[in-house]
Structures are given as C-alpha cells and as structure tokens.
C-alpha cells in the first residue's frame, strides 16, 4: 500500500524543474534527469555518470566516471508473508567542492528526506553510500567502503579502505576509522574507542 500511496503525498519533496548552472563540463555519455536535477556552477561530470531525479549538486563538484547518484535504496518489508521492496522517493544533496569517485553509488532516501554529502567531502572509488545517510563537511571515505542506511558521519571524519559501517550509526567529528574496520557501534570520541549509543 505504501508503494502506491507514497508518491502522491506532499511530504515527498521533489525537485520540480531542473537547473543547470554555468561553466560545467558534462561528458556526453552522462545520463542526467535534467528536468528534475539541480546542478550548480563549474562542476565536472565524467563519462557514464548517472544522476537520477531529486538530486541537488552544489558548485565545483566533481563526479568521476561511472558514479550513480540517486539509485534506489535497499530496503524491504515483509507484508502478508511476502517480501516487498520499499519505494524510495527522496533525493540526494551534494555540497560545494565535494568529490565523488569512480563507480561510487549514493542511494536516495525514503519519502521526503535527502541523503546528504557535505561540502568538500571526498568519497573515493567504489564506495556504497546507503539511503538517508548524512556525511559531514571535509570528510574522506576511502575506496571500497560500505556505509549502511541512516548513518550520521560527522565533519572531518576519515574512513579507511574496505570498511563496513552498520546502519544507523553515529561517528563523531574528527573520527578516524582504520582500513578494513567493521563498525557496529557509535563512535563518540576521536581517540578510536567505540562505545554503545
């Protein structure tokens, strides 16, 4: 029932009318829903990038080859004995000066919410950003890391290569996560100690 009703609800904020700023370099193979996407000024969008509707891209953003912005999130519900995918109707906001690496996938959020990547964030190659995540400013996420849905990552956080961050976690400003770490609890201080939320 949700999948039928939700698209009609006013709380599902959408980008109504696209906007393309000036000075952008967009490769002709990029697939962009120009009617429902906002792109700021002086962005670089490389070949085979996909930017789906309800995406808002800031100024001086670089999106590398093969990245997907606004893919369907991974969420299922069991209804009357059947497993049903939940339709995602939210969007993506990418702040000014952010860099999105090759083959990064950023899922759109549910309903009217946005998955957010802060200004000057650096997301390296083949990172998976789940739905509803909030990534702070000047945060770096290195290659091959997976971040579960609804996680909140602070400002100036560094996450190493091939890490796994569980759904709904909070990482404090300035946290440093080493390569190949599996994070299952909130990180409340910058000394590397993990504590329960």
């Amino acid at each position: 029932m949700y999948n039928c009703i939700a698209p009609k609800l006013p709380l599902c904020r959408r980008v109504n009318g696209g906007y393309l700023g000036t000075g952008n370099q967009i490769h002709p193979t990029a697939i962009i829903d120009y009617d429902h996407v906002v792109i700021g000024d002086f962005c670089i969008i490389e070949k085979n990038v996909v930017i789906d509707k309800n995406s808002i891209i800031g100024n001086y953003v670089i999106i590398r080859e093969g990245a997907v912005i606004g893919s369907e999130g991974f969420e299922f519900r069991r209804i009357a004995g059947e497993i049903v995918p939940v339709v995602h109707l939210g969007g993506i906001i990418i702040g000014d000066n952010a860099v999105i690496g090759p083959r990064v996938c950023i899922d759109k959020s549910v309903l009217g919410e946005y998955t957010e990547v802060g200004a000057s964030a650096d997301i390296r190659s083949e990172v998976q950003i789940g739905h509803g995540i909030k990534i702070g400013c000047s945060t770096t996420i290195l290659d091959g890391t997976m971040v579960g849905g609804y996680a909140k990552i602070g400002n100036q956080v560094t996450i190493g290569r091939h890490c796994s961050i569980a759904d709904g976690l909070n990482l404090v400003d300035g946290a440093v996560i080493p390569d190949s770490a599996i994070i299952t609890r909130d990180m409340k201080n910058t000394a590397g100690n993990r504590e329960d939320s």
Side-chain angles (χ1 to χ4, degrees), residues 2-22:
Y2 162 84
N3 289 349
C4 295
I5 296 173
K8 301 172 185 174
L9 297 175
L11 60 90
C12 295
R13 293 180 291 172
R14 298 189 185 116
V15 176
N16 293 317
Y19 172 80
L20 180 61
T22 61

PDB file of all heavy atoms in Angstrom, residues 2-22:
ATOM      1  N   TYR A   2       1.958   1.233   0.811  1.00  0.00           N
ATOM      2  CA  TYR A   2       2.867   2.389   0.858  1.00  0.00           C
ATOM      3  C   TYR A   2       3.382   2.748  -0.531  1.00  0.00           C
ATOM      4  O   TYR A   2       3.407   3.911  -0.923  1.00  0.00           O
ATOM      5  CB  TYR A   2       4.047   2.095   1.787  1.00  0.00           C
ATOM      6  CG  TYR A   2       5.220   3.022   1.580  1.00  0.00           C
ATOM      7  CD1 TYR A   2       5.247   4.264   2.198  1.00  0.00           C
ATOM      8  CD2 TYR A   2       6.275   2.656   0.755  1.00  0.00           C
ATOM      9  CE1 TYR A   2       6.312   5.125   1.999  1.00  0.00           C
ATOM     10  CE2 TYR A   2       7.343   3.519   0.554  1.00  0.00           C
ATOM     11  CZ  TYR A   2       7.351   4.743   1.173  1.00  0.00           C
ATOM     12  OH  TYR A   2       8.396   5.593   0.961  1.00  0.00           O
ATOM     13  N   ASN A   3       3.800   1.735  -1.292  1.00  0.00           N
ATOM     14  CA  ASN A   3       4.374   1.980  -2.602  1.00  0.00           C
ATOM     15  C   ASN A   3       3.384   2.638  -3.559  1.00  0.00           C
ATOM     16  O   ASN A   3       3.790   3.329  -4.494  1.00  0.00           O
ATOM     17  CB  ASN A   3       4.895   0.681  -3.218  1.00  0.00           C
ATOM     18  CG  ASN A   3       6.141   0.176  -2.523  1.00  0.00           C
ATOM     19  OD1 ASN A   3       6.734   0.878  -1.714  1.00  0.00           O
ATOM     20  ND2 ASN A   3       6.526  -1.053  -2.820  1.00  0.00           N
ATOM     21  N   CYS A   4       2.087   2.438  -3.325  1.00  0.00           N
ATOM     22  CA  CYS A   4       1.067   3.076  -4.171  1.00  0.00           C
ATOM     23  C   CYS A   4       0.720   4.480  -3.700  1.00  0.00           C
ATOM     24  O   CYS A   4       0.503   5.384  -4.506  1.00  0.00           O
ATOM     25  CB  CYS A   4      -0.197   2.230  -4.178  1.00  0.00           C
ATOM     26  SG  CYS A   4       0.037   0.615  -4.936  1.00  0.00           S
ATOM     27  N   ILE A   5       0.669   4.689  -2.374  1.00  0.00           N
ATOM     28  CA  ILE A   5       0.221   5.970  -1.827  1.00  0.00           C
ATOM     29  C   ILE A   5       1.348   6.994  -1.727  1.00  0.00           C
ATOM     30  O   ILE A   5       1.151   8.175  -2.029  1.00  0.00           O
ATOM     31  CB  ILE A   5      -0.416   5.755  -0.428  1.00  0.00           C
ATOM     32  CG1 ILE A   5      -1.675   4.904  -0.560  1.00  0.00           C
ATOM     33  CG2 ILE A   5      -0.724   7.082   0.244  1.00  0.00           C
ATOM     34  CD1 ILE A   5      -2.275   4.500   0.756  1.00  0.00           C
ATOM     35  N   ALA A   6       2.530   6.563  -1.326  1.00  0.00           N
ATOM     36  CA  ALA A   6       3.623   7.493  -1.031  1.00  0.00           C
ATOM     37  C   ALA A   6       3.952   8.471  -2.154  1.00  0.00           C
ATOM     38  O   ALA A   6       4.182   9.659  -1.887  1.00  0.00           O
ATOM     39  CB  ALA A   6       4.868   6.719  -0.617  1.00  0.00           C
ATOM     40  N   PRO A   7       3.982   8.055  -3.423  1.00  0.00           N
ATOM     41  CA  PRO A   7       4.330   9.024  -4.463  1.00  0.00           C
ATOM     42  C   PRO A   7       3.378  10.202  -4.566  1.00  0.00           C
ATOM     43  O   PRO A   7       3.717  11.244  -5.116  1.00  0.00           O
ATOM     44  CB  PRO A   7       4.294   8.188  -5.754  1.00  0.00           C
ATOM     45  CG  PRO A   7       4.506   6.789  -5.304  1.00  0.00           C
ATOM     46  CD  PRO A   7       3.849   6.705  -3.953  1.00  0.00           C
ATOM     47  N   LYS A   8       2.158  10.061  -4.010  1.00  0.00           N
ATOM     48  CA  LYS A   8       1.157  11.121  -4.106  1.00  0.00           C
ATOM     49  C   LYS A   8       1.171  12.078  -2.905  1.00  0.00           C
ATOM     50  O   LYS A   8       0.481  13.083  -2.900  1.00  0.00           O
ATOM     51  CB  LYS A   8      -0.226  10.497  -4.241  1.00  0.00           C
ATOM     52  CG  LYS A   8      -0.335   9.592  -5.466  1.00  0.00           C
ATOM     53  CD  LYS A   8      -1.642   8.840  -5.482  1.00  0.00           C
ATOM     54  CE  LYS A   8      -1.664   7.864  -6.652  1.00  0.00           C
ATOM     55  NZ  LYS A   8      -2.841   7.009  -6.650  1.00  0.00           N
ATOM     56  N   LEU A   9       1.959  11.751  -1.875  1.00  0.00           N
ATOM     57  CA  LEU A   9       1.959  12.567  -0.663  1.00  0.00           C
ATOM     58  C   LEU A   9       2.801  13.829  -0.838  1.00  0.00           C
ATOM     59  O   LEU A   9       3.886  13.783  -1.414  1.00  0.00           O
ATOM     60  CB  LEU A   9       2.514  11.753   0.511  1.00  0.00           C
ATOM     61  CG  LEU A   9       1.716  10.508   0.908  1.00  0.00           C
ATOM     62  CD1 LEU A   9       2.452   9.753   1.999  1.00  0.00           C
ATOM     63  CD2 LEU A   9       0.326  10.888   1.356  1.00  0.00           C
ATOM     64  N   PRO A  10       2.327  14.977  -0.303  1.00  0.00           N
ATOM     65  CA  PRO A  10       3.090  16.220  -0.431  1.00  0.00           C
ATOM     66  C   PRO A  10       4.398  16.209   0.344  1.00  0.00           C
ATOM     67  O   PRO A  10       5.307  16.967   0.031  1.00  0.00           O
ATOM     68  CB  PRO A  10       2.130  17.285   0.124  1.00  0.00           C
ATOM     69  CG  PRO A  10       1.168  16.535   0.977  1.00  0.00           C
ATOM     70  CD  PRO A  10       1.037  15.177   0.363  1.00  0.00           C
ATOM     71  N   LEU A  11       4.529  15.341   1.361  1.00  0.00           N
ATOM     72  CA  LEU A  11       5.768  15.327   2.136  1.00  0.00           C
ATOM     73  C   LEU A  11       6.928  14.713   1.350  1.00  0.00           C
ATOM     74  O   LEU A  11       8.072  14.783   1.754  1.00  0.00           O
ATOM     75  CB  LEU A  11       5.583  14.591   3.461  1.00  0.00           C
ATOM     76  CG  LEU A  11       5.152  13.122   3.425  1.00  0.00           C
ATOM     77  CD1 LEU A  11       6.365  12.216   3.372  1.00  0.00           C
ATOM     78  CD2 LEU A  11       4.314  12.809   4.645  1.00  0.00           C
ATOM     79  N   CYS A  12       6.631  14.124   0.204  1.00  0.00           N
ATOM     80  CA  CYS A  12       7.702  13.612  -0.669  1.00  0.00           C
ATOM     81  C   CYS A  12       8.250  14.778  -1.483  1.00  0.00           C
ATOM     82  O   CYS A  12       7.828  15.017  -2.600  1.00  0.00           O
ATOM     83  CB  CYS A  12       7.172  12.518  -1.589  1.00  0.00           C
ATOM     84  SG  CYS A  12       6.644  11.065  -0.688  1.00  0.00           S
ATOM     85  N   ARG A  13       9.133  15.541  -0.861  1.00  0.00           N
ATOM     86  CA  ARG A  13       9.702  16.710  -1.535  1.00  0.00           C
ATOM     87  C   ARG A  13      10.420  16.276  -2.798  1.00  0.00           C
ATOM     88  O   ARG A  13      11.158  15.322  -2.806  1.00  0.00           O
ATOM     89  CB  ARG A  13      10.685  17.431  -0.610  1.00  0.00           C
ATOM     90  CG  ARG A  13      10.024  18.065   0.580  1.00  0.00           C
ATOM     91  CD  ARG A  13      11.046  18.739   1.444  1.00  0.00           C
ATOM     92  NE  ARG A  13      11.888  17.738   2.089  1.00  0.00           N
ATOM     93  CZ  ARG A  13      12.971  18.033   2.790  1.00  0.00           C
ATOM     94  NH1 ARG A  13      13.371  19.267   2.908  1.00  0.00           N
ATOM     95  NH2 ARG A  13      13.676  17.072   3.370  1.00  0.00           N
ATOM     96  N   ARG A  14      10.221  17.017  -3.854  1.00  0.00           N
ATOM     97  CA  ARG A  14      10.873  16.687  -5.104  1.00  0.00           C
ATOM     98  C   ARG A  14      11.427  17.949  -5.731  1.00  0.00           C
ATOM     99  O   ARG A  14      10.975  19.049  -5.456  1.00  0.00           O
ATOM    100  CB  ARG A  14       9.876  16.039  -6.064  1.00  0.00           C
ATOM    101  CG  ARG A  14       9.314  14.753  -5.534  1.00  0.00           C
ATOM    102  CD  ARG A  14       8.521  14.055  -6.612  1.00  0.00           C
ATOM    103  NE  ARG A  14       7.901  12.883  -6.014  1.00  0.00           N
ATOM    104  CZ  ARG A  14       6.602  12.729  -5.903  1.00  0.00           C
ATOM    105  NH1 ARG A  14       5.795  13.655  -6.323  1.00  0.00           N
ATOM    106  NH2 ARG A  14       6.118  11.647  -5.361  1.00  0.00           N
ATOM    107  N   VAL A  15      12.404  17.750  -6.590  1.00  0.00           N
ATOM    108  CA  VAL A  15      12.930  18.856  -7.370  1.00  0.00           C
ATOM    109  C   VAL A  15      11.987  19.056  -8.551  1.00  0.00           C
ATOM    110  O   VAL A  15      11.926  18.240  -9.458  1.00  0.00           O
ATOM    111  CB  VAL A  15      14.358  18.550  -7.864  1.00  0.00           C
ATOM    112  CG1 VAL A  15      14.867  19.668  -8.749  1.00  0.00           C
ATOM    113  CG2 VAL A  15      15.285  18.324  -6.682  1.00  0.00           C
ATOM    114  N   ASN A  16      11.202  20.117  -8.500  1.00  0.00           N
ATOM    115  CA  ASN A  16      10.232  20.400  -9.561  1.00  0.00           C
ATOM    116  C   ASN A  16      10.824  21.430 -10.515  1.00  0.00           C
ATOM    117  O   ASN A  16      10.737  22.627 -10.283  1.00  0.00           O
ATOM    118  CB  ASN A  16       8.920  20.919  -8.972  1.00  0.00           C
ATOM    119  CG  ASN A  16       8.202  19.863  -8.160  1.00  0.00           C
ATOM    120  OD1 ASN A  16       8.126  18.716  -8.585  1.00  0.00           O
ATOM    121  ND2 ASN A  16       7.687  20.227  -7.006  1.00  0.00           N
ATOM    122  N   GLY A  17      11.425  20.962 -11.552  1.00  0.00           N
ATOM    123  CA  GLY A  17      12.058  21.861 -12.514  1.00  0.00           C
ATOM    124  C   GLY A  17      13.559  21.837 -12.328  1.00  0.00           C
ATOM    125  O   GLY A  17      14.066  22.154 -11.252  1.00  0.00           O
ATOM    126  N   GLY A  18      14.265  21.426 -13.338  1.00  0.00           N
ATOM    127  CA  GLY A  18      15.713  21.319 -13.244  1.00  0.00           C
ATOM    128  C   GLY A  18      16.407  22.655 -13.421  1.00  0.00           C
ATOM    129  O   GLY A  18      15.816  23.639 -13.868  1.00  0.00           O
ATOM    130  N   TYR A  19      17.684  22.672 -13.058  1.00  0.00           N
ATOM    131  CA  TYR A  19      18.513  23.865 -13.240  1.00  0.00           C
ATOM    132  C   TYR A  19      19.935  23.412 -13.528  1.00  0.00           C
ATOM    133  O   TYR A  19      20.467  22.526 -12.850  1.00  0.00           O
ATOM    134  CB  TYR A  19      18.493  24.738 -11.987  1.00  0.00           C
ATOM    135  CG  TYR A  19      19.478  25.877 -12.051  1.00  0.00           C
ATOM    136  CD1 TYR A  19      19.183  27.036 -12.763  1.00  0.00           C
ATOM    137  CD2 TYR A  19      20.729  25.782 -11.432  1.00  0.00           C
ATOM    138  CE1 TYR A  19      20.100  28.082 -12.838  1.00  0.00           C
ATOM    139  CE2 TYR A  19      21.642  26.814 -11.506  1.00  0.00           C
ATOM    140  CZ  TYR A  19      21.322  27.969 -12.206  1.00  0.00           C
ATOM    141  OH  TYR A  19      22.236  28.987 -12.295  1.00  0.00           O
ATOM    142  N   LEU A  20      20.540  24.013 -14.535  1.00  0.00           N
ATOM    143  CA  LEU A  20      21.918  23.717 -14.887  1.00  0.00           C
ATOM    144  C   LEU A  20      22.701  25.022 -14.850  1.00  0.00           C
ATOM    145  O   LEU A  20      22.398  25.964 -15.582  1.00  0.00           O
ATOM    146  CB  LEU A  20      21.991  23.089 -16.287  1.00  0.00           C
ATOM    147  CG  LEU A  20      23.383  22.724 -16.799  1.00  0.00           C
ATOM    148  CD1 LEU A  20      24.033  21.692 -15.880  1.00  0.00           C
ATOM    149  CD2 LEU A  20      23.291  22.184 -18.215  1.00  0.00           C
ATOM    150  N   GLY A  21      23.697  25.079 -13.953  1.00  0.00           N
ATOM    151  CA  GLY A  21      24.491  26.281 -13.792  1.00  0.00           C
ATOM    152  C   GLY A  21      25.447  26.509 -14.958  1.00  0.00           C
ATOM    153  O   GLY A  21      25.386  25.835 -15.986  1.00  0.00           O
ATOM    154  N   THR A  22      26.354  27.440 -14.769  1.00  0.00           N
ATOM    155  CA  THR A  22      27.280  27.817 -15.825  1.00  0.00           C
ATOM    156  C   THR A  22      28.652  27.181 -15.605  1.00  0.00           C
ATOM    157  O   THR A  22      29.015  26.816 -14.486  1.00  0.00           O
ATOM    158  CB  THR A  22      27.442  29.346 -15.869  1.00  0.00           C
ATOM    159  OG1 THR A  22      27.965  29.796 -14.613  1.00  0.00           O
ATOM    160  CG2 THR A  22      26.114  30.018 -16.138  1.00  0.00           C
TER     161      THR A  22
END
